[in-house]
Amino acid sequence: MAADLAKRRARGGVIKRNVHAQSGPRREYLAFLLAGETYAAPVKEIREIVKPPPLTPVPRAPDSTMGIVSVRGQLVTVIDLRRRLRLAESQASRRTRILLVEAPWGEQLGLYVDEVQQVYRLSDAEVEPAATALGGDVASYIAGIARPMQQVSTEGGGGEQPPVIVLLDLQAILAS
Amino acid sequence: MVDTGDRARDEFFSEAQEIVEGLGRDLLALDEAVRANRIDPDLINDVFRAVHTLKGLAGLFGATRMATLSHELEELLDNLRLGRIDVSPVVLDMLFRSIELYGRILQVEKDGNDQPIPEVDELLRELHRGFGQREQQPLAAEYDLDPGLLAVLTEYEEHRLRTNIQSGLILYRIRVHFQLATIDQALDELKVTAKPFGEIITYLPTGTGADADSIELDILMASRSSVEELRRALSETGAEVEEIPRRAGTGGGGGGGGDTGAFEGGGLSSRPAMAPAGPISPRSSDSGSLSAPPDSATGARKKRGELSSIRSVAQTVRVDINKLDRLMNTVGELALVRSSLGAIVERLRATPAEREMSLELHRLQRTFERHLAAIQQGILEVRMVPLGQVFDKLARVVRQISRDADKIVNLVITGAETEVDKLIVEELSDPLMHMMRNAIDHGIETRAEREAVGKPAVGTIALNAFQKGNHVVIEIEDDGRGIDATRLLDVALRRGLITQDEARTTSYREALTLIFLPGVSTKSDVSEISGRGVGMDVVKTNIGRLGGVIDVNSEVGIGTKMTVTLPITLAIISALIVRVADRLFAIPLANVQEAVGLDEHTVKRLDGREMITLRNQTLQLCYLTRLFGLDEEEELSARLAGLLGGTRSLGGMRAGITGSRKLDRSSLGLSPGSKRKYIVVTAVGAKRLGLVVSALIGQQDVVIKTFGPSLASVRGFAGATELGDQRIALVIDAPALIFEVLSGSDRARPEPRGVHG
């Protein structure tokens, strides 16, 4: 039930191959859907992707805490990224996933996303720093805006790619 | 995935911690010995050795601060050992300070920050300044001791000899014959036998009378006992005991007095033999009157330590508690597997064709169950540590505080061997420390006050621990001035913590529990008048977090007794599983008195609170659906959306209940098919609260997992537990709920009360 990233990658086709080698280091980002928009976070910060186990809400917990789940016997607090980012909530579907990440204080937390899409390898040139582009109080959660140049299609002939990906600063989100 | 460096570092920390703890115990014993004026040289040697080991460890791990401190302490202790300085209160204080500082250093090292600890530098300066060393007098020549022997005594042995002579002990020469093959063991046995009678100062081979396989030793011993007593005691070892006479002129009889001769084998260094003793003194006849409590010591232990191999003596392993937690976790998972297996067995049994196989499987399952229970029990036992660990720390605190407060306190500890889960022991130290401090600061009166009311000048604090069923009880009892409940009521009233009516009807015992209210604690006038109060709310909260309760009993002028009752282990508890709306919750059985059906018609509403009368007592109710903001309708739709664990398989749940000792159905009010709600009567001390739940599911032994830091601010839950099928039930923190609801902070009150903080 827990498909880890390595396996996903091994299946192939998910990673955007950059045909024309570009200069500069590339970082891997995992893209996912939140309320219909594409967001992404650095792959190395995501420990695991799991299908949501039965979720137990915790009364009196902070608003954006969805509840707790058990991942192989370990309790994990699940945070609703949509609520943290003030986005609309959507129906739970078969594609919803929980991303396991480690908070700065060492606790393992789950981030609830509507759907995991794919891994992008992005060079710095493809990332626009967000600070200048955005205002509002969620601005501090956003690390940048990515506009992937390579549009090689993947998975099931989906030719439609999101033109803009919002790169999230997970540590900032978790620390809030 | 811990690299070996980290592993070694962890080992270093736990080992150093252990040594420091041992050091603390030794110092306390030393402190006591000094006060009783009976200093066991072994104790000083132990302290010296501990510091020496710490120095080595610190050097190995580059903990320079610890190494420097150890080095200076070693110097001080060496001087103590050799009698160059006395074990004065000043010296003892320094040693006690160094223990606290070791703790701080370890913490700082562990955190990896390099923050300076000014206290260490200060202590180092003081240590470096040194103490005036005493002039050593030449060894008293009043005994007929061979100068050859005196010449080979080490400085330590010389000091011990001098000390013993000064305290008027008789010197004996004991000649023994040992086989070379078994000399180590034989010598140890002799030392153990001799120890109650006095101190062995040194032993030397005589170099004569021995064949190739055996060795003759002369042992120089100081004792209060008569020669007959010694002979009797040592008769089994075949030792010849002779008294070394005082000033009996030069020793008569030759016997290899000047023999030196290198001695091979036996691991003993070659030394000139001891002079033979002269005629037996007639003094021995009257020395019987001297046989007071025998002085206990063997100064030669250090030598033994150096000779011993590097194999460790104790057959123990140090285990990181987290590893045990993980094991326990796995066992918990296995328990879930067992439940699922049980369900399969049940299903198979219903199929006639598979009857045989189902029986076989059933047997297997039973075996599995038994082994699983054994593993669970085993892990629990491993987690258990004696309360003595925390009591030792408390004893140090008592010493410190009583010094600071200038009150003489006698601490009497019983039950230090009582075992509790390691995690509980850790969490206990702060609350106990606090109570101890209160007992001395506010409980015990000053010397003058005590004498004025005819109490003994020395106050007594009893620290008792004992096991009571599945619980451990810890009592801290002082014979101080007690708590004035009337004044407590008064202050609580003025602070608006209770109403006039409540003040009138509050019983004496209830009034005492007011000290646990945070509002009372912050008022300095209360702590001055009544004593306790400072932070007792915090103490209560912390104890409550451990699933424990605290009770107070006090009589003005007589004393105060705090009783803490704790579960033996946090890892597994028996819980009552209940349904609230469509969610499952677990209520620790330790907090449950009974469960009864709720008849809505009998509920009275009073001042916004719901009450019923149960067995002629008023019981306040708390509707958990309301408290937790649950709504049956909403829950239902959410569950349909597939989000919640919910009651999807309550039947399966019931199968998963495997509690060994189920409450009988009537006491739980289990009546299948009923739509009535139920009241679970929970209690903490004298306080009771009826939690209204939708249904009672049953009893189950559960493994409690605490919430992560992200949910630390959520009140009312002690954690969560897995029920199987990945479903989770939140564990209700009944003491917290009782406190919260009964103190009224769950509702808006006309006047602000500020109880909850």
Side-chain angles (χ1 to χ4, degrees), chain B residues 241-260:
Chain B
V241 183
E242 282 174 23
E243 184 176 335
I244 299 174
R246 278 168 180 262
R247 270 197 219 109
T250 42
D259 268 17
T260 24

Side-chain angles (χ1 to χ4, degrees), chain B residues 49 118 138 247 378 408 452 460 510 529 537 568 577 590 609 637 690:
Chain B
R49 248 194 309 279
R247 270 197 219 109
I408 316 168
T460 300
E510 278 171 350
I529 297 161
D537 58 319
I568 284 178
I577 313 290
R609 294 163 187 253
S637 56

Side-chain angles (χ1 to χ4, degrees), chain B residues 32 57 150 161 175 191 216 223 237 268 292 294 299 437 450 457 463 516 532 541 555 570 572 584 588 613 618 666 693:
Chain B
E32 206 164 288
L57 267 181
L150 293 181
L161 179 61
R175 179 161 291 182
K191 280 179 199 165
E216 191 179 62
S223 168
T237 59
L268 288 166
R437 193 177 287 271
R450 292 183 68 89
L463 180 58
F516 296 120
R532 313 306 151 109
T541 312
E555 260 180 78
L570 290 179
I572 297 183
L584 297 180
T613 305
T618 306
S666 63
V693 302

Side-chain angles (χ1 to χ4, degrees), chain B residues 596-607:
Chain B
V596 294
L598 168 67
D599 182 356
E600 298 270 8
H601 301 296
T602 63
V603 178
K604 294 179 193 67
R605 283 178 180 76
L606 225 157
D607 186 26

